[in-house]
Amino acid sequence: MSLHAQLSPEALARLHRQRRNSTISSIAIAILTVALIALALGIFLLPALVQESPTIITYPGTLDEEIQQEEKKMQTKIQRKPTPPASSRTKVIVANTASPTAIQVPDVDVTTPSLEYGDMDLGSNWGGGGGLGGGFANVPATMKKRCSPEDRAARLLETGGTPECEEAVMKSLRWMAKTQKPDGSWGSQHAVAMTGFSLLAYLGHCETPLSPEFGDNVLRAITYLVNVGLKNDYRLTVKDAASIQWVYEHGIATYALAEAYTFCKSLSVDIPQLAEVTEKATQIIIDGQGKSGGWVYKFEPTNGGDNSVGFWQIQALKAAKHTGLFNESKLNRTARNALDWLEKVQGKNGAIGYRNDSNRSPGLTGGGVLAFQLWDKATSSAARSGIKYIVKNSEFKWGEESANLYYHYYNAQAMINRGGSEWKDYNERFREELLKAQKPDGSWDKGAGGNHGAIDVHMATCLATLMLEVYYRFLPGTGAVN
């Protein structure tokens, strides 16, 4: 049994009015509370919002700002501003040499690359791990993988390298940095060739004039070679024109300058007369080709060809093609003539030796194979025959004749371009032997080199470094390795 109270109409109306008034009051109180909370937060946060943005301070390079011309020391200073507008410019100061024809204390204009790289890891060396988000987007596709730490590490593992290979490369680059001369060169003899080797090794790790650790070394090396060209009618050598072997230096140094120009153009680094010397030096190579398609000492117009000389000219021409400074048809025509010569002198066993004798210095075969690969003939019968010869005859035992670094510099590139089981087997022959041979200071002894081995510790170190950079320095020239 339940009881129900019945409200009168007047009481019910009063109850509805009370509920309505209570609801309105609750809403008003809630709005007022929110407003008070917002006001309190505003009082506490307003000072932080209006606080002046901190001043970003940039620091110059480690070298003194003044140019010590009396000491004739080349100095560089790269200052990078914190904002990335395209119009901002940075000055790189390069000291002059004593020659009146050398670069006279140029102001090198460097467009500051964008610093907005998102979450990209720039690594310890911008340029030696600078990523592709900055100026590297215009670098040829075959060269890009060396410029991102992530890509470089991935390529290293994918192609059979190890973290120890990268550690060895860094040790050698630091050894080179310590042994560079004040004028930007290296080596006690053949300074132009040795500087070209070093520059190629730095560029092989994507070290550029903007790299924090090695930028000064790279810039001084480039400037040294440019100065040499300006003083010698664009011949890249310090030797007299009557010297028969200056063509080696010229080919190696032209190769290095052309690759340097490609990077500098992509990064908007304007080094005075770099383009001029690169273009003129390359033209000397084109003009120096013999009627046979080969090159010989002094670039004499003979019907023969010294393949040890020619391989450097062929590599230089390929690097020049990437610069965009040339009519490609001219370069392609010169390269075709060179490959025709190599096919002509290749032995039935696949060997490509010295001049037209495949039995003389057949260890040069890797250079011939690389030449075909560089100029889109990787699948030709000549290239395949050369690979078979290397597989059958190449060994690498440190301290023995087989560890000829001059030969294996070519073999390593030719074999990784080939890929597959041939590259895997070759990689296992040389990698650990080469790593174990590196000295604690980062250098390699020249070892037993034969007629075409390393002539000194510096050359040995550069060639060994380039061999260990092969895992990422270029993308393979064939489809055998992705």
Side-chain angles (χ1 to χ4, degrees):
M1 182 176 182
S2 61
L3 298 175
H4 298 276
Q6 185 70 34
L7 294 177
S8 65
E10 294 81 12
L12 186 60
R14 286 197 300 271
L15 180 59
H16 286 317
R17 284 196 300 272
Q18 289 175 355
R19 287 178 176 173
R20 187 167 55 253
N21 293 338
S22 177
T23 300
I24 294 172
S25 299
S26 298
I27 293 174
I29 291 171
I31 293 174
L32 182 61
T33 301
V34 172
L36 290 173
I37 292 173
L39 180 61
L41 291 174
I43 293 173
F44 285 101
L45 296 179
L46 185 59
L49 293 175
V50 301
Q51 184 177 358
E52 183 178 354
S53 298
T55 300
I56 299 178
I57 302 174
T58 62
Y59 294 90
T62 57
L63 297 177
D64 294 335
E65 195 167 318
E66 295 183 357
I67 300 174
Q68 302 296 332
Q69 292 189 2
E70 304 89 307
E71 300 178 8
K72 298 179 182 177
K73 292 183 178 180
M74 192 174 301
Q75 298 184 8
T76 56
K77 181 186 70 173
I78 299 178
Q79 183 179 5
R80 298 172 61 191
K81 298 182 180 180
T83 55
S87 61
S88 63
R89 311 293 285 180
T90 304
K91 295 296 183 181
V92 181
I93 308 300
V94 185
N96 67 319
T97 68
S99 170
T101 60
I103 297 176
Q104 298 297 314
V105 196
D107 286 348
V108 181
D109 290 331
V110 181
T111 300
T112 304
S114 171
L115 301 183
E116 297 178 358
Y117 295 94
D119 296 328
M120 183 174 291
D121 178 13
L122 299 186
S124 59
N125 292 311
W126 195 87
L132 306 180
F136 293 103
N138 296 324
V139 171
T142 57
M143 299 164 64
K144 284 184 180 179
K145 291 294 184 180
R146 70 178 85 167
C147 293
S148 161
E150 295 82 7
D151 285 343
R152 192 166 59 231
R155 288 292 307 164
L156 185 71
L157 297 179
E158 289 171 4
T159 53
T162 64
E164 289 74 21
C165 295
E166 183 72 349
E167 293 173 8
V169 167
M170 290 303 299
K171 285 176 62 178
S172 68
L173 295 181
R174 287 170 180 148
W175 178 83
M176 292 181 207
K178 293 177 182 178
T179 56
Q180 187 177 26
K181 294 181 179 180
D183 66 355
S185 68
W186 280 271
S188 58
Q189 55 180 327
H190 310 296
V192 173
M194 297 305 137
T195 304
F197 281 138
S198 291
L199 183 53
L200 286 170
Y202 278 118
L203 295 172
H205 199 259
C206 200
E207 303 297 342
T208 74
L210 298 183
S211 300
E213 183 171 358
F214 302 116
D216 175 68
N217 304 104
V218 173
L219 182 59
R220 290 194 291 129
I222 294 171
T223 308
Y224 170 79
L225 294 177
V226 170
N227 282 338
V228 168
L230 292 174
K231 289 185 290 185
N232 292 282
D233 296 325
Y234 307 106
R235 290 187 306 109
L236 295 175
T237 182
V238 294
K239 299 181 181 299
D240 186 86
S243 170
I244 64 173
Q245 293 186 339
W246 69 268
V247 294
Y248 276 105
E249 291 201 305
H250 185 83
I252 294 166
T254 302
Y255 180 12
L257 282 185
E259 193 164 301
Y261 176 81
T262 298
F263 276 108
C264 288
K265 181 178 70 171
S266 176
L267 294 170
S268 297
V269 177
D270 183 18
I271 298 179
Q273 297 170 292
L274 171 59
E276 175 188 344
V277 173
T278 301
E279 186 173 7
K280 298 291 187 180
T282 303
Q283 190 61 49
I284 288 175
I285 292 175
I286 295 172
D287 295 339
Q289 187 177 41
K291 296 178 181 179
S292 64
W295 287 267
V296 296
Y297 291 145
K298 296 194 289 186
F299 287 153
E300 293 177 340
T302 67
N303 288 322
D306 182 332
N307 296 327
S308 182
V309 170
F311 293 154
W312 291 110
Q313 320 311 317
I314 293 170
Q315 291 172 91
L317 291 173
K318 183 64 174 184
K321 187 173 181 177
H322 287 316
T323 65
L325 294 171
F326 299 90
N327 182 322
E328 289 193 9
S329 62
K330 180 188 296 185
L331 296 174
N332 291 338
R333 183 169 58 253
T334 305
R336 283 197 305 270
N337 293 337
L339 298 186
D340 288 345
W341 162 257
L342 294 178
E343 282 190 277
K344 180 180 178 180
V345 300
Q346 185 175 33
K348 293 181 179 180
N349 61 353
I352 300 175
Y354 182 79
R355 300 206 173 217
N356 60 352
D357 185 356
S358 62
N359 294 317
R360 186 178 176 187
S361 300
L364 289 169
T365 300
V369 174
L370 179 62
F372 286 106
Q373 293 170 338
L374 288 174
W375 291 94
D376 304 321
K377 297 293 183 181
T379 59
S380 66
S381 60
R384 295 198 308 271
S385 297
I387 290 290
K388 291 179 181 178
Y389 180 86
I390 296 172
V391 169
K392 185 177 180 180
N393 296 279
S394 178
E395 295 292 338
F396 193 99
K397 297 295 182 182
W398 191 256
E400 298 181 6
E401 188 83 13
S402 63
N404 185 313
L405 294 176
Y406 191 77
Y407 293 161
H408 284 285
Y409 159 79
Y410 290 120
N411 287 349
Q413 295 176 82
M415 296 306 290
I416 196 171
N417 281 340
R418 175 62 180 175
S421 59
E422 291 97 337
W423 160 246
K424 182 179 178 180
D425 292 343
Y426 176 78
N427 184 42
E428 291 176 353
R429 294 181 196 178
F430 88 87
R431 186 189 63 203
E432 297 306 315
E433 282 283 314
L434 193 59
L435 289 174
K436 288 187 297 184
Q438 188 177 31
K439 298 167 64 177
D441 65 359
S443 67
W444 277 267
D445 287 325
K446 65 176 181 177
N451 292 332
H452 292 277
I455 62 175
D456 58 20
V457 171
H458 180 82
M459 181 176 173
T461 300
C462 290
L463 293 177
T465 302
L466 289 164
M467 288 179 65
L468 292 175
E469 290 175 346
V470 75
Y471 302 102
Y472 47 73
R473 184 169 172 234
F474 295 110
L475 291 181
T478 71
V481 178
N482 296 323

